[in-house]
Amino acid sequence: MRAAIGLAPVLSHLQRKSRLTLRGVALKAGVSASYLSRVVAGTEFPTWQLTDRLGRILGADLETLRQVWSDDEARLRRRGDTTSRHLTELHGALRALHQRAGSPAPQRVALLSGMVLDSETVTNVLRGATVTWGETQALILALDGEPAFFLKLWEAASQAPRVAETPSHRLNRMIGAFNPTFASPGTGRRRAPLPHQRMRHAPIP
């Protein structure tokens, strides 16, 4: 699920500008590196307390950062009612798949994913956390499931806001408060490929 559309690129930019690694920032903020990576990717939405800590670590203008966080928080609250049912269906199906596979330990699932996932991410997903489709697909393949079936559930649960609801000039204005020369974030690094025996499945979109 795309959790935040304004906060995530701002935090991602600040982290890159600081020249601190994600792991270094996570250590200073008291959170796991995997969770922080989802925050800056926009698939997890942090509390204001954590956002405030991150802002102080990264040297942000806290007043502007609070406004960005508040706008996203209000948007997510409005969206929450329409996505909760789909999320319940998705995570129920994932837990059923895990049980059908014999309920392997998170460490075992991480190994079966070719270490695309770590054990913490596996645990969080099975408990109801939202992650990217790539991570969800890696979990499904590790449990010998069929991604095509789960993709529809994942898309229904994602419910990303339409572009019309979030004008680009508004995002540019928020980002400009941090750095007028901010450029749009890149697509990120590719994840390690899944194990060879699982390449028969459809590639990650």
Side-chain angles (χ1 to χ4, degrees):
M1 171 180 289
R2 187 73 178 172
I5 61 171
L7 182 65
V10 166
L11 289 177
S12 178
H13 165 64
L14 290 171
Q15 180 263 320
R16 293 197 307 272
K17 184 181 176 184
S18 74
R19 298 190 178 181
L20 294 171
T21 64
L22 271 178
R23 188 173 297 278
V25 175
L27 184 63
K28 289 175 179 289
V31 296
S32 70
S34 61
Y35 177 76
L36 182 58
S37 70
R38 294 195 296 274
V39 169
V40 299
T43 59
E44 290 281 359
F45 187 67
T47 64
W48 167 245
Q49 287 75 17
L50 174 56
T51 305
D52 179 72
R53 290 202 302 275
L54 293 173
R56 293 176 189 277
I57 292 167
L58 299 173
D61 179 325
L62 295 180
E63 182 177 348
T64 304
L65 189 63
R66 179 63 187 249
Q67 184 60 54
V68 175
W69 181 89
S70 296
D71 287 349
D72 271 358
E73 193 273 339
R75 187 180 303 109
L76 290 169
R77 188 169 59 247
R78 291 193 300 269
R79 198 176 72 189
D81 291 342
T82 62
T83 60
S84 59
R85 179 172 60 85
H86 297 301
L87 282 171
T88 298
E89 292 175 355
L90 172 63
H91 292 120
L94 289 173
R95 285 190 291 270
L97 178 64
H98 181 244
Q99 292 173 354
R100 192 188 74 179
S103 300
Q107 294 85 351
R108 175 62 178 167
V109 178
L111 183 62
L112 290 171
S113 77
M115 301 311 293
V116 172
L117 305 173
D118 56 31
S119 59
E120 181 181 10
T121 299
V122 173
T123 298
N124 289 339
V125 173
L126 293 176
R127 288 178 177 174
T130 56
V131 294
T132 65
W133 169 243
E135 291 170 317
T136 303
Q137 185 182 39
L139 175 65
I140 295 164
L141 292 175
L143 297 174
D144 203 25
E146 178 50 57
F149 169 77
F150 287 88
L151 178 58
K152 294 181 180 180
L153 294 176
W154 185 89
E155 288 176 337
S158 297
Q159 293 290 311
R162 296 177 182 272
V163 173
E165 297 173 352
T166 57
S168 60
H169 75 269
R170 182 169 175 275
L171 177 58
N172 292 335
R173 174 170 51 80
M174 293 187 297
I175 292 173
F178 295 95
N179 184 349
T181 62
F182 175 65
S184 298
T187 56
R189 294 177 297 177
R190 288 176 174 268
R191 292 187 175 275
L194 293 171
H196 176 73
Q197 66 269 26
R198 300 190 184 282
M199 293 303 290
R200 67 179 185 277
H201 295 277
I204 298 173

